[in-house]
Amino acid sequence: MSSAKHAFRNTAATAALIAAALATTPAFAKQANIKSMSFNTESANTTIHVGSSDKQKWDTLKSGNVQFWGHMKLNTRWPGYVQDVGVALGVCGPGQCGAFPPIWSASPVGRDYDHQENFSFNPSIIPLSSDTGIAVVPYGDQIIARCNQHLQPDGPTKSYSFTHSFHASFSALTDTALDMDNAVSEAQGDSWPHPLYDSHYAEHGSFDVQIVCDPVIKPPVQDVANDFGEFDVENVKLFLTTYQSNQAGSTPGTVCPSLKVTSRAQANQAGPVSMRIWRQKNDGPITSEVQQAWASYDATKNGYFATYEKWEDVGATAYFQYKTEIIGNGPFEPFDGWKDITVHCTGAGGGGFTDAPQDNPENPPAHSDWQGEVTVSDSAGFKKLCPRKGQVAFEVERDAPGAFHYRISCSNGAFFTGTTAAFNNGGVFKASAAHELSIVRTRSIQCTLQEIKQNGSIATVDNSTEDFTCIKRKF
């Protein structure tokens, strides 16, 4: 054998070994140089509910849907490109985010990356510390600790709410390619979102979430445990409220009020409530969005309520219409039909939009200065013995201080009048009161809340109906 042939055979063997090694070894991305990278985030109106598994302390993050908005940008220098991107909960650096809870991921395989996303995740991905280890992000421990700072002598029996700040990290894996036609992304598996274990760059953003520490309802010792049956949403109400503010319009020199859209559902027990909220602005398209809220016990209303609120960016004088319906398994789920409001802006681009004509424009009904709701509720649990007490309660609000002069008339003959002063709740002034109802027989009771205005006119704010059942006592 000649030395030339021997060298050729050694070279061929070496090439075969290298090819085999490359076939069994994952490719490593070569870090690209970048021009800039940014991650801008904004909060959304979402809530995390905290529960108690032992009725002694808060210890559980309930299932739900947390949302925030983000804008991701990454500009590379040629011949660099963006291969994989991901968003994880918490603050992590390049190559560190794989161990953090993943929220979102994608494989763009492009020279540059510019994308906006409405991120969402279930609170179940937020880890809690235990005897076996410390959570990689502190948010769950911090939330539960703050809830437990407000325990009552008998445990977590009083609701408490606060706002908590979260952080998210946008990380990217880059590579280089002279020809983008040959740049391909490797398969990440069936799971989504994919944890991004390998990354070259990372940026961070923050967002706020409303936290509600749900109270545990402990029935009286002598009462039989309440059997609520299957979870059921009994009704839903929609409220449209404007508040004076310095919100700028879309045209310079224009100032618009703030518009708050509130959807509130009443359920027979604690649990998740899904709502579809329909919207139309002026003569534009009718759109809808699905939101989830958690029904928790409200001691002032003596019932379980779920509330979702959103603020509208008005921009110029406009006419809005909204409708809220409950999404469930039944064919006749509760809904609150279309309600409308015109938001009048002032200044250079106010718009001059006028209201739709009233049925009787010469004698329109009085409009209440206050917006809110009245609730008729039953004090009975499993035992519906009579006579017993019921309750009619209300909560109203507006953007100016003052007193709310009211009257409540009910179909069982009950009639209440009074005045209650409003308290300042972050620039929104709220007033509330409650009265007892005497329940002596099986019947449906409807109560109507009205505002007594200074000129003597009466304006209806809201009404509510509750079915009361009386069961004879057995000896």
Side-chain angles (χ1 to χ4, degrees):
M1 180 183 300
S2 67
S3 60
K5 289 182 179 179
H6 180 73
F8 174 79
R9 288 179 179 178
N10 285 346
T11 304
T14 303
L17 290 173
I18 293 175
L22 290 175
T24 58
T25 304
F28 291 96
K30 182 178 179 181
Q31 181 174 350
N33 294 325
I34 66 172
K35 299 177 183 178
S36 62
M37 182 179 185
S38 62
F39 185 36
N40 298 319
T41 55
E42 291 183 6
S43 305
N45 188 6
T46 54
T47 303
I48 293 178
H49 289 265
V50 185
S52 172
S53 61
D54 59 3
K55 297 187 178 182
Q56 303 300 318
K57 61 181 180 180
W58 281 290
D59 57 6
T60 305
L61 302 181
K62 295 183 177 180
S63 178
N65 187 33
V66 180
Q67 298 179 345
F68 67 98
W69 175 88
H71 185 187
M72 300 166 284
K73 292 185 67 175
L74 177 58
N75 294 330
T76 64
R77 296 186 183 277
W78 192 87
Y81 72 94
V82 183
Q83 179 170 303
D84 293 312
V85 292
V87 173
L89 185 65
V91 178
C92 52
Q96 301 174 346
C97 296
F100 287 68
I103 296 175
W104 178 89
S105 64
S107 299
V109 189
R111 289 295 185 195
D112 298 316
Y113 189 66
D114 188 343
H115 180 70
Q116 299 181 35
E117 182 74 24
N118 290 314
F119 299 103
S120 64
F121 64 91
N122 196 301
S124 61
I125 74 168
I126 304 174
L128 299 175
S129 297
S130 64
D131 295 337
T132 59
I134 299 175
V136 66
V137 290
Y139 311 119
D141 295 341
Q142 293 170 348
I143 290 170
I144 288 178
R146 185 164 177 182
C147 284
N148 286 322
Q149 291 176 357
H150 298 269
L151 288 171
Q152 303 300 303
D154 57 346
T157 56
K158 185 177 180 180
S159 178
Y160 176 69
S161 62
F162 58 93
T163 299
H164 194 79
S165 294
F166 289 77
H167 296 87
S169 297
F170 163 48
S171 59
L173 176 66
T174 61
D175 205 340
T176 58
L178 299 177
D179 183 3
M180 284 302 297
D181 292 335
N182 295 324
V184 295
S185 177
E186 297 181 0
Q188 299 291 336
D190 296 332
S191 63
W192 190 94
H194 316 300
L196 198 58
Y197 290 97
D198 297 323
S199 62
H200 296 135
Y201 301 98
E203 284 290 338
H204 314 108
S206 63
F207 57 96
D208 294 332
V209 177
Q210 181 74 12
I211 309 297
V212 177
C213 313
D214 288 336
V216 171
I217 309 304
K218 295 185 176 181
V221 177
Q222 68 273 17
D223 194 9
V224 179
N226 293 338
D227 180 12
F228 295 108
E230 295 184 358
F231 181 81
D232 181 52
V233 179
E234 299 171 353
N235 63 70
V236 63
K237 293 182 179 181
L238 173 69
F239 307 95
L240 306 176
T241 314
T242 57
Y243 298 90
Q244 295 300 322
S245 68
N246 293 323
Q247 176 184 340
S250 56
T251 303
T254 303
V255 177
C256 300
S258 298
L259 171 60
K260 184 171 76 169
V261 183
T262 304
S263 300
R264 182 168 296 135
Q266 183 177 8
N268 63 336
Q269 56 186 294
V273 177
S274 296
M275 312 177 190
R276 182 179 293 276
I277 303 170
W278 297 85
R279 172 190 182 273
Q280 184 181 32
K281 181 178 180 180
N282 294 334
D283 294 324
I286 297 176
T287 59
S288 69
E289 60 176 333
V290 176
Q291 297 292 343
Q292 188 178 77
W294 186 270
S296 57
Y297 185 75
D298 189 330
T300 62
K301 300 184 180 70
N302 192 24
Y304 295 86
F305 294 87
T307 302
Y308 175 76
E309 297 177 344
K310 64 173 293 185
W311 293 87
E312 273 281 5
D313 184 10
V314 179
T317 297
Y319 177 67
F320 292 89
Q321 296 184 85
Y322 294 89
K323 180 178 73 171
T324 298
E325 61 184 11
I326 298 300
I327 300 175
N329 298 322
F332 304 105
E333 296 294 341
F335 69 94
D336 200 0
W338 288 101
K339 294 186 178 181
D340 64 303
I341 189 172
T342 299
V343 181
H344 293 278
C345 301
T346 60
F353 190 90
T354 58
D355 284 320
Q358 302 281 347
D359 292 338
N360 185 357
E362 296 182 358
N363 186 25
H367 176 71
S368 176
D369 295 332
W370 300 80
Q371 301 292 319
E373 67 175 326
V374 62
T375 304
V376 181
S377 55
D378 195 352
S379 63
F382 181 75
K383 296 180 179 180
K384 298 186 180 297
L385 303 177
C386 292
R388 67 175 185 271
K389 297 296 183 181
Q391 185 186 72
V392 54
F394 69 83
E395 182 178 86
V396 294
E397 61 183 43
R398 69 177 185 183
D399 61 351
F404 178 59
H405 306 278
Y406 68 90
R407 75 178 186 186
I408 301 173
S409 55
C410 302
S411 58
N412 67 335
F415 188 84
F416 310 96
T417 61
T419 299
T420 178
F423 65 94
N424 190 343
N425 184 24
V428 177
F429 294 87
K430 295 186 176 183
S432 60
H435 298 276
E436 286 188 348
L437 296 174
S438 179
I439 311 302
V440 295
R441 64 181 177 87
T442 298
R443 65 174 300 165
S444 178
I445 298 178
Q446 175 176 301
C447 294
T448 300
L449 172 66
Q450 294 177 312
E451 177 190 357
I452 305 175
K453 304 174 76 68
Q454 291 184 350
N455 60 5
S457 61
I458 305 295
T460 299
V461 178
D462 186 38
N463 58 70
S464 176
T465 302
E466 176 72 13
D467 294 327
F468 294 89
T469 302
C470 288
I471 300 176
K472 293 182 179 180
R473 186 184 299 272
K474 295 182 180 181
F475 294 91

